[in-house]
Amino acid sequence: MNESAPTVDPDNCLRFPSCSFNTEAYGLIYSANDLVTIWKKLVANGFPLEEILSLLSIADEPIEIARTIDALESCRFIKGVEGRSADLKKKLSSIVKQKNSTTNKKKEGVLLALTSTTEELRIAYMIAKMGYHLEFRNRKGPDFIIGSEQIVLLEAKSRFNRTHFGGTSGKSAKLTEKGIFSLLCRDSVPLLKRAFSEQNTNIALVNLSHSEYGLILAAHSYANERKFELKKALDDALALSRAGEDAVVLIVESSGGTSESFGLTLPRKTIEGIGGPLGEIENILKKRGKPFDFYDLAHVAEDPIGWMQGIKASAVEHNQ
């Protein structure tokens, strides 16, 4: 028996050499026993899971592997998933076999491959389970097609830019819903050019669960009893697309074991019109050498256009 392979604890948690965790608490679909079986099946089919585990051997890093194999197995009923599985196996095998690469670079490559694939698969699973006719596309361009008569192309993107993880701070920022939406636009706007201009999608599905401000949407929903139902967001996006407008669905999966998903649809032009200026303000203030962090940007987000006008006016006065 391979000592590095996962096992099941007496309390039905999935155990790796460096950690043990409750699969349900992490929003996984399959049980620990199921995941051990899936692991063995994938290894037998040539997935380099043991090599990957040797790279992700610190603390809870192996959880990313479990999330990926859980998501992959969950999507077995979706047409085209075999191609995704083959692509992932090829990519992971290529990374672990790189001869002129450091362990850290291999680790970074593996984590990126796992997390990006997992988010795409989880989005596909959620959409398909809602009753939409969805298929993976095994060709260049958008990731999915949805609809059996009027086909709409969907591209899944995830933003991994979280640098603030809580802790203590003397700062605070009071946000209205307008400010929250502005921050979500800021987080998502860098992904839109590739999704629409390069991959020619009709709808961009942007997962902000790991972005700087994404989880604020979930917190806002819980605190203020605001519903951001993913199915409604998808319906709104399909309506926009069929009207000839580029649509963006912002998706957030809550943390803490609730396994709840939130969705908000905005037109592409709205996100670029708000997120673009907010990003510009952030860059300008950073270039000026001013301390600027998570809370400062949240404060600016309440009125990014006003702040931009103020910065431009200040620049004009300075040059006179």
Side-chain angles (χ1 to χ4, degrees):
M1 180 179 177
N2 189 334
E3 294 183 359
S4 66
T7 56
V8 181
D9 277 350
D11 56 358
N12 291 320
C13 288
L14 187 65
R15 172 163 290 282
F16 289 94
S18 65
C19 68
S20 176
F21 70 98
N22 182 292
T23 57
E24 186 176 351
Y26 277 82
L28 302 192
I29 295 164
Y30 287 94
S31 68
N33 280 300
D34 290 334
L35 290 172
V36 169
T37 300
I38 295 166
W39 175 286
K40 293 176 181 177
K41 180 178 69 174
L42 290 173
V43 169
N45 288 334
F47 266 80
L49 298 183
E50 294 169 0
E51 294 88 340
I52 290 170
L53 186 57
S54 70
L55 293 170
L56 306 181
S57 58
I58 300 174
D60 61 357
E61 289 177 341
I63 293 175
E64 291 302 327
I65 310 175
R67 292 183 73 244
T68 300
I69 66 174
D70 178 80
L72 190 60
E73 189 68 21
S74 300
C75 289
R76 290 295 178 192
F77 70 99
I78 302 176
K79 185 177 179 180
V81 73
E82 296 83 4
R84 285 295 187 278
S85 179
D87 288 345
L88 178 61
K89 181 171 72 172
K90 183 178 179 180
K91 182 180 291 186
L92 293 174
S93 297
S94 174
I95 293 171
V96 299
K97 291 177 181 178
Q98 289 174 355
K99 294 182 179 180
N100 299 320
S101 181
T102 65
T103 298
N104 282 339
K105 284 194 174 295
K106 287 183 180 181
K107 183 174 181 176
E108 289 174 6
V110 164
L111 280 171
L112 181 59
L114 291 176
T115 51
S116 58
T117 300
T118 300
E119 301 310 326
E120 178 188 326
L121 292 170
R122 287 178 68 89
I123 287 173
Y125 175 81
M126 287 187 287
I127 294 173
K129 293 299 283 186
M130 289 177 189
Y132 296 95
H133 180 85
L134 179 132
E135 298 178 12
F136 287 101
R137 296 178 78 247
N138 291 317
R139 66 188 76 173
K140 290 184 178 180
D143 295 317
F144 319 119
I145 59 173
I146 192 170
S148 55
E149 296 180 2
Q150 186 175 0
I151 300 297
V152 177
L153 302 177
L154 296 89
E155 171 69 13
K157 296 292 183 188
S158 294
R159 187 78 197 274
F160 303 100
N161 69 320
R162 190 184 301 169
T163 57
H164 177 79
F165 292 93
T168 58
S169 173
K171 294 182 178 181
S172 64
K174 186 176 181 179
L175 283 170
T176 64
E177 187 167 278
K178 174 185 174 182
I180 292 171
F181 288 1
S182 294
L183 291 169
L184 298 180
C185 289
R186 173 263 190 186
D187 272 1
S188 57
V189 73
L191 303 175
L192 301 191
K193 180 180 179 181
R194 177 166 171 74
F196 289 105
S197 301
E198 298 178 19
Q199 295 182 294
N200 298 312
T201 193
N202 303 125
I203 298 172
L205 308 169
V206 180
N207 191 327
L208 297 179
S209 303
H210 306 284
S211 76
E212 197 86 79
Y213 295 99
L215 290 178
I216 292 179
L217 184 68
H220 174 45
S221 177
Y222 289 135
N224 299 298
E225 297 184 352
R226 283 279 281 123
K227 297 293 184 182
F228 295 98
E229 296 176 353
L230 182 55
K231 188 176 189 311
K232 182 182 183 304
L234 286 166
D235 288 339
D236 291 344
L238 288 168
L240 281 173
S241 178
R242 287 164 181 156
E245 193 166 356
D246 290 341
V248 182
V249 182
L250 306 179
I251 300 171
V252 175
E253 292 184 74
S254 62
S255 59
T258 60
S259 302
E260 189 172 357
S261 298
F262 304 85
L264 171 68
T265 288
L266 294 171
R268 175 191 178 186
K269 61 185 180 184
T270 298
I271 290 182
E272 291 178 336
I274 297 173
L278 194 52
E280 288 181 43
I281 293 169
E282 185 177 8
N283 290 332
I284 289 170
L285 294 178
K286 284 181 177 178
K287 286 179 180 178
R288 290 182 178 180
K290 294 186 177 182
F292 197 74
D293 63 14
F294 179 89
Y295 297 97
D296 297 317
L297 187 62
H299 181 62
V300 173
E302 285 296 316
D303 184 19
I305 304 301
W307 272 79
M308 180 61 79
Q309 291 173 345
I311 288 174
K312 290 179 178 178
S314 175
V316 170
E317 291 177 4
H318 179 75
N319 292 327
Q320 287 179 346

